[in-house]
Amino acid sequence: MKNFTYYAPTQVEFGKQSENKAGKLVKKFGGTNVLVHYGGGSVVRSGLLDIICKSLEEQNIKYTLLGGVVPNPRVSLVREGIEICRKENIDFIVAVGGGSTIDSSKAIAAGTNYEGDVWTLYRHEDRIKSAIPVGVVLTIPAAGSEMSDASVITNEDGGLKKDYCDSLLRPKFAIMNPEHTFTLPEWQTACGATDIMMHTMERYFSNDDDMDVTNVVAEAILKVVMEHAPIVLAEPENYHSRAQIMWAGSLAHNDLTGCGNDGDWATHNIEHELSGMFDVSHGAGLAAIWPSWARYTRHQNINRFARFAVNVMGVTNNFKSAEETAELGIRAMEKFYTSIGMPINIKQLVGRNVTDAEIEEMADKCTNGNTMTVGGLIKLTKEDIINIYKLANE
Ligand code: NZQ
Ligand code: ZN
């Protein structure tokens, strides 16, 4: 098994009424003057934002509100948030919402103490030395940003979607009450389940086969999400199933399933260009790309794909042909995605086939102008990525 570092410093408060702890947690981690950041209004309508504000008031903590984060969060709002933090001397940020709100909060946290423009970080041209601490009140299990070191931001100028990863951005606390996910629309529920599965699969499909604990944990997370996603789609207020998915979402992306393997991440990188160009939901974009990525790369570690087919997708092993077992696993995953309303190709995702020029542009951005490869299982070149987009476009 490979050496690894596992660093998951986020304090998790899971369960009913955990949102009432927000004020005390901010105080515990030194916050006295807070920016409360949120999205397009779901937390206003549900009353959660009021609960968080009240919890801060009870601890005599001053706060400023900044809403308006959109899915695929924009750098323009991040810059606005940075200005507010500097002007108001904000010393803590509370994100109330999903991955987009958390990522926007992390970007503001990184950018406030940083002298240059925040986008420089997302261009991977510089790194921060400090960040304002962030706490999270999660409303959608999906991105896993509540425990991850990543922030993914879209620059409207050029439709670029890029990440910046830094341990300084791991949230101090994550409050997770599954009741606050009852209001999620079916589409967001399914996109979230897909993203959780993909965070596990990106790490699972690697060339490192000898990490037994990690393998079994990954397979269990995948099976639990596949069991409970259809239940919450049918019964949105099923606490038990919402809770399973919510906790799986954090474990899938706090690096637990990456201990001892290098991971792949090609599907994520290829998807980020789709959501950057077409503003589609991240989870749906992943479902549309993964089958094509899998068929293009499986020969590299065919036994791994066969193991996945048998242990996760319940396919009967054809011991004479790992190739056939692997293909049946991919088909079973396509069937599952379809059953929860996810697209399995680009046409289903975008509503039309994309043009060769669009594919060329996405592949170019994905490889930073053909200067780098993408993915760990196979190091994919720009040409490989064009081939995968084309496969997904058929
Ligand atoms: O904006 P509001 O009104 O809150 O509505 C949101 C939004 O429209 C809605 N929603 C969230 N919770 C709700 C709810 N509606 C009703 N009831 C609730 N309880 O859902 C919509 C989607 O929210 P968003 O935050 O965009 O979803 P998600 O958590 O899937 O985040 C997606 C973003 O995270 C990035 C993605 O690329 C994408 O930009 N990712 C971040 C990662 C990270 N930081 O580690 C890793 C991921 O791979 C991913 O790339
Ligand atoms: Zn993701």
Side-chain angles (χ1 to χ4, degrees):
M1 191 157 87
K2 280 194 165 159
N3 293 359
F4 62 85
T5 300
Y6 180 58
Y7 180 61
T10 306
Q11 177 170 338
V12 173
E13 292 294 337
F14 194 98
K16 292 178 184 175
Q17 295 172 3
S18 50
E19 62 277 8
N20 295 331
K21 299 176 182 169
K24 281 189 180 154
L25 285 167
V26 169
K27 200 171 224 177
K28 172 179 170 178
F29 289 105
T32 60
N33 186 7
V34 174
L35 181 76
V36 179
H37 201 28
Y38 60 98
S42 73
V43 298
V44 178
R45 291 190 294 279
S46 69
L48 179 60
L49 189 66
D50 280 346
I51 296 172
I52 300 308
C53 292
K54 192 164 157 260
S55 178
L56 293 172
E57 285 159 16
E58 280 168 6
Q59 300 300 318
N60 295 317
I61 294 169
K62 196 178 151 199
Y63 61 85
T64 304
L65 296 173
L66 178 63
V69 181
V70 293
N72 301 320
R74 311 296 201 260
V75 73
S76 52
L77 187 66
V78 169
R79 292 190 178 119
E80 202 182 316
I82 290 170
E83 284 311 309
I84 294 173
C85 286
R86 287 177 181 160
K87 193 163 150 255
E88 301 292 333
N89 288 318
I90 297 290
D91 59 16
F92 202 98
I93 302 176
V94 174
V96 190
S100 296
T101 295
I102 304 167
D103 287 2
S104 185
S105 300
K106 288 175 174 175
I108 295 170
T112 299
N113 297 349
Y114 179 65
E115 281 180 9
D117 178 64
V118 67
W119 190 250
T120 313
L121 305 171
Y122 291 79
R123 291 163 63 101
H124 299 171
E125 287 170 1
D126 205 355
R127 298 195 64 79
I128 52 168
K129 296 185 180 65
S130 69
I132 299 178
V134 173
V136 170
V137 184
L138 188 66
T139 62
I140 167 172
S145 187
E146 67 276 8
M147 290 184 84
S148 84
D149 64 353
S151 160
V152 187
I153 297 294
T154 296
N155 191 333
E156 306 90 310
D157 188 8
L160 291 165
K161 187 173 178 181
K162 298 283 172 201
D163 64 8
Y164 175 66
C165 300
D166 199 309
S167 274
L168 291 168
L169 299 181
R170 287 198 196 259
K172 297 291 175 205
F173 65 81
I175 290 174
M176 295 182 228
N177 179 348
E179 288 175 325
H180 292 301
T181 68
F182 288 176
T183 50
L184 276 171
E186 278 181 23
W187 175 255
Q188 294 300 341
T189 299
C191 285
T194 305
D195 198 15
I196 294 167
M197 292 173 70
M198 279 307 311
H199 293 156
T200 315
M201 287 150 68
E202 293 277 23
R203 294 171 168 101
Y204 185 86
F205 289 106
S206 73
N207 291 307
D208 311 303
D209 292 319
D210 64 340
M211 54 327 195
D212 296 358
V213 176
T214 304
N215 281 337
V216 174
V217 168
E219 288 166 357
I221 287 175
L222 289 167
K223 286 198 281 193
V224 164
V225 175
M226 286 175 68
E227 178 185 342
H228 291 280
I231 297 175
V232 296
L233 287 171
E235 304 166 32
E237 302 201 2
N238 185 317
Y239 183 89
H240 174 72
S241 291
R242 288 283 192 194
Q244 310 310 314
I245 294 178
M246 198 169 206
W247 187 223
S250 299
L251 297 185
H253 203 36
N254 74 358
D255 283 347
L256 182 64
T257 59
C259 295
N261 62 32
D262 282 341
D264 184 68
W265 297 103
T267 307
H268 264 71
N269 282 292
I270 294 171
E271 189 291 315
H272 280 169
E273 301 310 331
L274 278 167
S275 44
M277 187 178 278
F278 299 104
D279 204 17
V280 292
S281 301
H282 168 64
L286 295 171
I289 288 296
W290 185 78
S292 299
W293 169 85
R295 291 196 172 97
Y296 194 82
T297 59
R298 67 183 172 203
H299 63 88
Q300 172 69 18
N301 192 350
I302 194 70
N303 290 334
R304 191 104 188 118
F305 281 86
R307 174 183 169 142
F308 170 79
V310 174
N311 288 5
V312 179
M313 304 310 298
V315 167
T316 305
N317 203 343
N318 178 347
F319 291 100
K320 289 189 187 139
S321 172
E323 188 71 34
E324 189 188 305
T325 308
E327 172 59 24
L328 289 176
I330 296 167
R331 282 190 209 161
M333 184 51 88
E334 286 179 318
K335 201 170 160 199
F336 174 76
Y337 284 152
T338 303
S339 76
I340 61 168
M342 287 289 97
I344 53 168
N345 57 49
I346 290 180
K347 191 173 179 186
Q348 289 178 6
L349 175 74
V350 179
R352 64 169 170 85
N353 285 112
V354 293
T355 64
D356 284 352
E358 286 166 336
I359 287 179
E360 162 73 26
E361 186 182 334
M362 287 189 290
D364 197 64
K365 285 177 179 169
C366 192
T367 54
N368 207 7
N370 202 10
T371 60
M372 55 179 252
T373 58
V374 169
L377 181 66
I378 297 181
K379 293 192 186 314
L380 300 168
T381 62
K382 178 178 169 185
E383 198 187 334
D384 291 320
I385 290 167
I386 288 175
N387 290 337
I388 291 172
Y389 280 129
K390 284 190 172 166
L391 256 183
N393 203 32
E394 279 173 2

